[in-house]
């Protein structure tokens, strides 16, 4: 992955090899190593100028909710892309709007095959058997929504508990 530094003499030890892309609090599996994430973020910015928060939300949306990078992964990366001259920054109120520079676009064009492969990976299921993480999130949201829907109803809560226990037992019975 060191082609990323091709033609550039700056090295950022704070960005090298940390791999903080899991996010905090179980945000999702590590989808890309630190080098690969640079290509993805730069590609997103080349599609349209973006704030850091928009990049986080776009990655979450493109993965169907199965991956959300932490701000601690995105913001230092944006600073590094700026230092390398691949993005420019304009101020939009208190936020920084990142725009790809001609050097950044040239870098993407030189690495188009790798960039396209990584962007395709974003839409692939996170697990080999399908989008299990996305389905688990859907289940969790349904349980919370129905448990809180209207006045507390002990009968409904008992049904939800029974469904969840049966689902867990069925899954545990699989070979």
């Amino acid at each position: 992955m060191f082609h990323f530094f091709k033609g550039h003499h700056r090295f950022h030890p704070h960005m090298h090899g940390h791999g903080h892309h899991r996010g905090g609090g179980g945000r999702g599996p590590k989808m890309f190593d630190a080098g690969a994430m640079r290509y993805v973020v730069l590609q997103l910015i080349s599609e349209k100028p973006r704030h850091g928060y928009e990049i986080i939300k776009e990655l979450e949306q493109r993965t169907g909710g199965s991956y959300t990078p932490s701000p601690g992964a995105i913001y230092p990366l944006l600073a590094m892309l700026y230092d390398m001259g691949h993005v420019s920054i304009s101020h939009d109120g208190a936020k920084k709007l990142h725009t790809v520079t001609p050097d950044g676009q040239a870098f993407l064009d030189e690495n188009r095959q790798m960039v396209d492969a990584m962007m395709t990976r974003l839409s692939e299921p996170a697990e080999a058997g399908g989008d299990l993480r996305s389905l688990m999130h859907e289940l969790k949201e349904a349980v919370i929504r129905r448990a809180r829907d209207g006045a507390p109803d002990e009968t409904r809560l008992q049904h939800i508990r029974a469904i969840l226990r049966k689902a867990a037992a069925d899954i545990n019975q699989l070979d």
Side-chain angles (χ1 to χ4, degrees):
M1 293 284 166
F2 293 109
H3 347 245
F4 188 79
F5 295 107
K6 181 175 147 190
H8 298 279
H9 301 290
R10 294 180 185 161
F11 178 68
H12 298 272
H14 65 277
M15 287 301 300
H16 180 69
H18 289 277
H20 292 261
H21 295 43
R22 292 174 207 272
R27 291 173 186 248
K30 181 176 176 179
M31 177 159 281
F32 299 107
D33 66 24
M37 183 58 88
R38 296 171 183 135
Y39 293 94
V40 171
V41 169
L42 190 56
Q43 175 61 36
L44 291 176
I45 294 169
S46 77
E47 293 171 6
K48 75 174 196 172
R50 297 179 193 263
H51 301 101
Y53 180 75
E54 288 177 290
I55 292 168
I56 292 168
K57 287 300 172 190
E58 183 68 16
L59 286 166
E60 181 178 38
Q61 187 270 327
R62 289 192 186 200
T63 61
S66 67
Y67 175 68
T68 305
S70 71
I74 296 301
Y75 289 103
L77 178 56
L78 290 170
M80 188 199 67
L81 290 171
Y82 173 76
D83 287 347
M84 293 180 76
H86 288 186
V87 299
S88 63
I89 296 175
S90 59
H91 292 279
D92 183 15
K95 299 178 182 180
K96 293 179 180 178
L97 188 64
H98 300 82
T99 305
V100 72
T101 63
D103 282 351
Q105 189 60 56
F107 172 77
L108 285 171
D109 294 342
E110 289 169 16
N111 295 283
R112 179 55 47 202
Q113 187 175 0
M114 182 182 294
V115 172
D116 289 348
M118 289 181 209
M119 297 308 290
T120 298
R121 184 172 176 205
L122 282 178
S123 61
E124 293 174 351
E127 284 85 15
D131 57 342
L132 294 178
R133 181 173 294 279
S134 178
L135 290 170
M136 289 189 310
H137 286 295
E138 278 182 53
L139 176 61
K140 177 183 171 185
E141 289 173 16
V143 168
I144 291 169
R145 186 174 49 253
R146 295 303 293 158
R148 294 181 179 165
D149 192 20
D153 181 347
E154 188 56 37
T155 303
R156 182 186 305 153
L157 294 175
Q158 286 175 355
H159 286 335
I160 291 171
R161 288 184 195 107
I163 290 167
L164 293 174
R165 285 186 189 110
K166 180 172 181 351
D170 289 351
I171 291 169
N172 285 326
Q173 293 298 317
L174 296 174
D175 290 332

